[in-house]
Structure formats: C-alpha cells, structure tokens
Amino acid sequence: MTTKPSKTTTAGFRLPDPPRRELDEVTAFDYLYGPGMTEYLAIHFGNRETTLVKADRWIIAAPEDNRAEARRPDLLIAFGVSPEKYEENNGYISSEQGKPPDFVLEVASESTAVTDTGAKRDNYAALGIPEYWRFDHTGEYHQTRLAGDRLVDGRYEPIFTEAGGEGIEQGYSPALNLYIRWDQGQLVFIDPDTNAPILTYEDQQARADREAVRATNEAALRQQAEERVRQLEEENRTLRGE
C-alpha cells in the first residue's frame, strides 16, 4: 500500500521548459499520445493522487544536479509520488518525490536512436530508475524492436523478451505488472490477468453499457417474478372464496 508523499517542496524551484523536439522525434505522439495510450495507462493504474503517467519533462536527482545530464523520457510512470510536486517543479525531481520514477520508456526516432541505447541508458541507471524500456516501430533505429532493462546493483541488465507469434515480440515489466508488446509495429500494454490489452475508453464504455443492460434485465426479471407471485396469491384467494 502506498501513501501520499508530503507536499513540501523546494521553495520557488522550477525546472525549465524543455525545448521543442525535432520533427522526426514526434514518434512518441504516434505510438503513445495519439492513440491515447498514456490515458489508458492512467485509467488502468487508477489512484491519480499518487500515480504519475507523464512525459516530455526533465528528470533530475536533485535541484543542485548537473542539468546537462537531465533527460526527458517519452513516458514516465511513478507510483506513490506527488503529481502536485511534479507540476510545481515542472518535472520530476527524485529528492523532492522521495524516490526515482519506477519506469521510463523511449520511442525510437532516427535522431535519438544512438542516445536512447547509449547515454540515456547510462543516465537513467545513474538516476536509479528500476526499469528502462525502448520501443522501435521499425526495428532498425535501436537494432531491435523491443528492449527492456532492469536495474541490478546499480547497473542495467536486459529483461528477457520473446516472440509471441508472427509480428509480435513482448517482455514482462515487473514494475508495471504488464506485458509490453511490439505488435505489428504498434506499442501495446497487456494485462497478464486477462492476457488482453489494457482497457481503452471504448472498452470502458462498452463495459458500462453491458452493466446497464444487465441491471435493466435483472430489474425486469424481478418485476416479472413479483407480478407472478401477486397473480398466484390472487388465484389462491379466489379458490378459497376470500
């Protein structure tokens, strides 16, 4: 069980806004934000008061750290933290949150491929981030379609990934308790309890509609049963001459 961190923060400290991304770096929008994946993850994890599902702002260990080593991942997930502090600081500061993020992911682009697999990997390990994943829709920029690392004794060790069928590769994320899947060039998060993608808005609406229909049907059946009981009681009274 997580508890909400204290709201105290470094007075007046705010990270600078990140610069605009290069045109070829908008792949994160195509595979995360455009399809609504970040919102679906937030819905899946729930408890938005202590869970962050964010992106494209700086991560640093502490306010006094060298900003040259700061990174801004395409996806950041952290549990048991303060979204309010994240907004106040305009980014993620581990010393303010009391811990590093639990998970980061980078979506490949031609201009960031070398950094994603090199310097960023080193920086995220130095920040103490337990898991770092890389998704490459082409399979060419990172030289692999999907890769994950788990922090062990301060160093990243590869997470096992495997083919899940034709055009599918996936690996399990202990930090998220989800399978991360490369599926025909798309990024998909799979719930291990259902072996199906995490719920979307459409899934949520369909579930709500099914529940509404079920509740209506149950109410109608109860009404029919009550009416039949009333009829039987009336017939019995007639037979008794009452």
Side-chain angles (χ1 to χ4, degrees):
M1 179 178 179
T2 58
T3 57
K4 191 171 182 180
S6 166
K7 294 184 179 180
T8 58
T9 186
T10 303
F13 184 82
R14 185 173 174 83
L15 289 163
D17 291 333
R20 288 181 176 272
R21 289 190 178 272
E22 299 296 329
L23 288 177
D24 83 315
E25 294 184 67
V26 297
T27 49
F29 179 86
D30 297 333
Y31 297 95
L32 282 170
Y33 316 117
M37 193 59 65
T38 49
E39 182 61 20
Y40 302 153
L41 285 164
I43 291 171
H44 175 79
F45 294 124
N47 200 356
R48 296 187 188 223
E49 290 188 354
T50 60
T51 299
L52 266 178
V53 181
K54 294 290 185 178
D56 209 27
R57 293 191 194 177
W58 300 113
I59 303 175
I60 60 173
E64 64 272 14
D65 279 8
N66 183 359
R67 306 294 167 74
E69 297 180 357
R71 295 294 177 187
R72 49 187 179 122
D74 291 324
L75 177 63
L76 174 155
I77 298 176
F79 305 107
V81 296
S82 169
E84 292 179 4
K85 284 184 180 178
Y86 182 84
E87 295 301 328
E88 290 168 6
N89 297 144
N90 198 33
Y92 196 100
I93 305 175
S94 296
S95 64
E96 295 295 296
Q97 297 287 0
K99 55 176 280 190
D102 295 278
F103 174 99
V104 293
L105 178 143
E106 298 285 1
V107 177
S109 66
E110 186 174 5
S111 65
T112 65
V114 173
T115 306
D116 289 346
T117 56
K120 283 183 184 178
R121 189 172 184 269
D122 295 338
N123 293 145
Y124 290 146
L127 284 165
I129 298 172
E131 281 187 24
Y132 171 39
W133 286 79
R134 296 169 297 287
F135 169 82
D136 183 350
H137 59 290
T138 68
E140 298 174 0
Y141 298 141
H142 290 164
Q143 305 304 310
T144 184
R145 297 185 292 192
L146 180 70
D149 288 308
R150 182 168 53 188
L151 197 65
V152 179
D153 296 328
R155 299 182 65 180
Y156 278 138
E157 293 185 358
I159 294 174
F160 174 72
T161 61
E162 61 182 340
E166 186 176 354
I168 293 176
E169 185 170 343
Q170 69 178 20
Y172 176 71
S173 164
L176 304 185
N177 187 30
L178 294 173
Y179 285 102
I180 300 175
R181 179 177 291 179
W182 189 102
D183 188 344
Q184 306 293 336
Q186 298 300 312
L187 177 61
V188 184
F189 292 86
I190 304 294
D191 186 339
D193 293 334
T194 62
N195 199 32
I198 59 175
L199 296 180
T200 64
Y201 284 130
E202 292 77 13
D203 296 328
Q204 295 274 2
Q205 185 60 55
R207 174 182 284 184
D209 291 343
R210 288 194 298 271
E211 287 297 314
V213 170
R214 182 186 61 78
T216 299
N217 290 340
E218 287 181 354
L221 289 172
R222 283 196 301 271
Q223 185 175 1
Q224 290 173 8
E226 291 168 358
E227 178 62 22
R228 181 56 180 159
V229 168
R230 188 192 65 76
Q231 290 174 354
L232 290 172
E233 290 175 346
E234 181 66 27
E235 290 172 2
N236 287 334
R237 283 196 294 271
T238 300
L239 290 173
R240 292 194 301 268
E242 296 178 1

